[in-house]
Amino acid sequence: MNSENFSLSERIVSTAYVRQGSQARRGHEQLIRQLLEQGKCPEEGWSESTVELFLNELAVMDSNNFIGNCGVGEREGRVASSLVARRHYRLIHGIGRSGDIAAVQPKAAGSSLLNKLTNSVVLDILKLSGVRSAASCFVVPMATGMSLTLCFLTLRHRRPKARYIVWPRIDQKSCFKAMITAGFEPVVVENVLEGDELRTDLEAVERKIEELGAESILCVHSTTSCFAPRVPDRLEELAAVCAKHNIPHIVNNAYGVQSSKCMHLIQQGARVGRIDAFVQSLDKNFMVPVGGAIIAGFDESFIQEISQMYPGRASASPSLDVLITLLTLGASGYKKLLSERKEIYLSLAQELKSLASAHGERLLHTPHNPISLAMSLDGLQAKSDKAVTQLGSMLFTRQVSGARVIPLGKEQTISGHTFRGFMSHSEAYPCPYLNAASAVGITREDVTLCIKRLDKCLKTLKKEGNDAKSSSPAAPPGQGDATAE
């Protein structure tokens, strides 16, 4: 409804009523105008009616929704199911063109505007979350692993002699396979144990660079967010090493946007040294469906180079999902979620510490990990290896998702490389343990239920172990658990 149509409406309905309706619409339009002018996440979230009005306005700008449009090409935004069309708000053309995921489509002005606005709003959120000097970013419809691969493939053109990627070890398959898929050989640098924490071995990184030669190294591939007892890499020091040797630096920041500590590390790394790009997941940081990531950096031309490496057009779904989410939450709503997550982390840590103490275990001391926690399972290990893995199965069947139980000595071969002590980020971590994380969206009820069910599982396993001991025949002298001496 434009002003002319509102004037015509006054012939049919009372002028006072129509003007009231017109003022209400102007309220929605004012919010949309501010978004278009500023390109930033609104401070306060929009209502669903404003979001839907905006998306419908974008959709009518795409050629597949033109009244009387005659399409004779192979890609005309045709959709067989009206349910699918409604699911996507009739924004069917996707984003980008065959040569650049960030390019504008002549047939899809609305979808192109959606793409540009999403990238602008997401950049604003990255700055708000702590990386204030980020220069550019774009949403890519691939999860973190493939987005890292895209970064590595872009660097290939800049460093044609490179064969290796130096990678401080983190036991997560997708980031390792990202390097293999890009055609490079990962050089795994084992972590060092400092107290309970597994930290970056900077001296080993330097030795690998000296040994292989800087020209043969594509980049250093570091990590922020991770499972305890591993902690974020020493990003400032790694960034300084990369600057010193003129080696690119790609950061896997998978679920680090929700952590002010992880974002601060990236900001400081870029300030004192070199960080070329950092990659983060959409679903883990913004509570949207899996399938998207953000590639960001401090050099706009390099981020544009990565976007131009993406072959073909792309799905607009991840961009649409995250834009709807951020418009609905607003900057204040997202900041509130981050604050709540941090508070619940402290609560989860205290609850796990108390529970561990009650069962003769301990909460591992990992102060440099701002999201994940770990509790020792030495008592279960003393009963049997099976008891440790059984705990994980028991938690899963009792609907405790996300908790990870890490036994000792597991081996895993990925693309020809064998990791000893897989899942523990170390060849020989001193004890088995259980992981739990306080990630964005977690509630106090989640913590309460998790602790209650974990306590029950530990008591059940302890009882089963005691019953097994009491029913087994006595061991001959010098054998069994007791020390003969």
Side-chain angles (χ1 to χ4, degrees):
M1 294 281 282
N2 55 27
S3 57
E4 183 181 355
N5 286 337
F6 274 116
S7 296
L8 292 172
S9 299
E10 292 177 11
R11 299 180 185 179
I12 305 169
V13 178
S14 167
T15 298
Y17 299 158
V18 170
R19 287 179 180 174
Q20 187 177 35
S22 175
Q23 289 170 0
R25 182 182 175 90
R26 276 201 296 272
H28 295 292
E29 291 175 342
Q30 175 73 6
L31 294 172
I32 295 170
R33 184 177 68 80
Q34 288 173 356
L35 175 64
L36 293 170
E37 282 180 349
Q38 300 171 6
K40 294 183 177 181
C41 186
E43 183 61 28
E44 301 298 327
W46 290 6
S47 67
E48 285 189 12
S49 57
T50 304
V51 174
E52 289 191 324
L53 173 65
F54 177 53
L55 295 178
N56 286 329
E57 293 280 351
L58 292 178
V60 297
M61 295 170 67
D62 284 2
S63 63
N64 60 294
N65 299 311
F66 291 175
I67 295 174
N69 182 65
C70 173
V72 292
E74 84 291 351
R75 181 188 285 114
E76 296 297 330
R78 302 183 181 104
V79 177
S81 167
S82 60
L83 183 62
V84 170
R86 291 199 305 275
R87 175 181 176 245
H88 294 275
Y89 285 91
R90 294 175 292 115
L91 293 159
I92 310 302
H93 279 283
I95 57 174
R97 302 186 73 180
S98 58
D100 184 355
I101 196 175
V104 172
Q105 293 187 65
K107 286 194 290 188
S111 293
S112 299
L113 184 55
L114 167 79
N115 188 25
K116 297 288 187 182
L117 282 173
T118 299
N119 292 341
S120 181
V121 167
V122 166
L123 181 62
D124 182 47
I125 289 295
L126 293 180
K127 291 180 177 181
L128 179 149
S129 300
V131 186
R132 299 198 174 278
S133 59
S136 180
C137 77
F138 67 99
V139 172
V140 60
M142 304 186 294
T144 310
M146 286 302 295
S147 298
L148 287 166
T149 296
L150 190 65
C151 295
F152 301 145
L153 290 172
T154 305
L155 286 174
R156 180 194 290 277
H157 294 276
R158 292 190 169 194
R159 301 176 71 82
K161 296 179 181 178
R163 290 180 51 202
Y164 307 102
I165 296 177
V166 176
W167 180 64
R169 175 176 170 177
I170 175 168
D171 290 354
Q172 204 272 340
K173 292 180 184 178
S174 62
C175 53
F176 185 80
K177 292 174 76 173
M179 298 180 281
I180 299 292
T181 302
F184 295 95
E185 183 179 330
V187 177
V188 182
V189 177
E190 290 292 332
N191 301 300
V192 291
L193 186 64
E194 296 181 8
D196 288 331
E197 293 184 326
L198 290 165
R199 307 209 66 187
T200 317
D201 189 339
L202 293 168
E203 291 183 2
V205 171
E206 287 267 25
R207 285 197 302 271
K208 286 295 181 185
I209 293 172
E210 295 293 340
E211 176 188 328
L212 298 171
E215 278 196 359
S216 69
I217 297 171
L218 182 81
C219 66
V220 171
H221 176 195
S222 64
T223 304
T224 55
S225 54
C226 54
F227 296 118
R230 196 194 190 280
V231 300
D233 279 318
R234 300 180 189 270
L235 245 61
E236 290 183 51
E237 294 88 339
L238 285 175
V241 168
C242 289
K244 172 184 170 184
H245 295 281
N246 194 28
I247 295 172
H249 184 189
I250 304 296
V251 180
N252 175 7
N253 189 44
Y255 49 100
V257 179
Q258 61 192 278
S259 164
S260 57
K261 183 175 287 187
C262 289
M263 298 300 271
H264 176 73
L265 287 173
I266 293 171
Q267 176 64 34
Q268 288 299 101
R271 186 182 67 82
V272 303
R274 177 171 182 172
I275 292 179
D276 295 74
F278 57 103
V279 179
Q280 37 273 307
S281 162
L282 286 183
D283 61 283
K284 293 172 183 170
N285 291 294
F286 300 103
M287 296 189 290
V288 295
V290 171
I294 304 162
I295 299 176
F298 304 91
D299 177 0
E300 190 171 354
S301 64
F302 179 59
I303 301 305
Q304 185 178 5
E305 197 177 328
I306 299 173
S307 75
Q308 291 171 346
M309 179 63 63
Y310 188 97
R313 289 174 175 80
S315 169
S317 290
S319 297
L320 181 60
D321 289 341
V322 74
L323 182 62
I324 290 172
T325 299
L326 291 175
L327 292 179
T328 303
L329 285 172
S332 62
Y334 189 64
K335 284 187 284 188
K336 183 181 177 185
L337 283 174
L338 300 190
S339 176
E340 288 172 352
R341 184 211 69 79
K342 194 177 290 188
E343 290 174 10
I344 293 175
Y345 171 85
L346 297 175
S347 175
L348 176 61
Q350 186 56 51
E351 292 286 346
L352 272 177
K353 185 176 181 179
S354 299
L355 180 67
S357 178
H359 288 275
E361 303 290 354
R362 65 189 185 90
L363 181 68
L364 301 183
H365 186 60
T366 56
H368 290 97
N369 193 317
I371 299 173
S372 177
L373 296 157
M375 184 183 93
S376 71
L377 296 175
D378 286 314
L380 287 186
Q381 181 71 33
K383 297 183 193 313
S384 70
D385 291 339
K386 183 181 177 183
V388 174
T389 54
Q390 189 179 352
L391 175 61
S393 300
M394 291 174 71
L395 288 170
F396 185 75
T397 57
R398 285 158 180 77
Q399 299 181 7
V400 178
S401 60
R404 301 165 73 249
V405 172
I406 313 302
L408 294 176
K410 182 177 179 180
E411 284 197 2
Q412 177 82 41
T413 299
I414 307 172
S415 302
H417 185 94
T418 299
F419 291 87
R420 287 187 288 275
F422 186 70
M423 293 175 69
S424 68
H425 321 287
S426 169
E427 290 193 341
Y429 195 74
C431 69
Y433 58 87
L434 174 140
N435 278 133
S438 175
V440 67
I442 191 173
T443 65
R444 295 189 184 277
E445 290 74 18
D446 290 328
V447 173
T448 300
L449 280 174
C450 171
I451 296 298
K452 181 180 178 181
R453 292 171 184 174
L454 176 55
D455 182 40
K456 192 172 181 179
C457 289
L458 289 170
K459 285 176 178 175
T460 299
L461 287 170
K462 184 177 181 180
K463 183 177 183 300
E464 288 176 357
N466 291 338
D467 290 346
K469 281 186 179 181
S470 63
S471 63
S472 62
Q479 297 183 24
D481 294 334
T483 306
E485 292 81 8

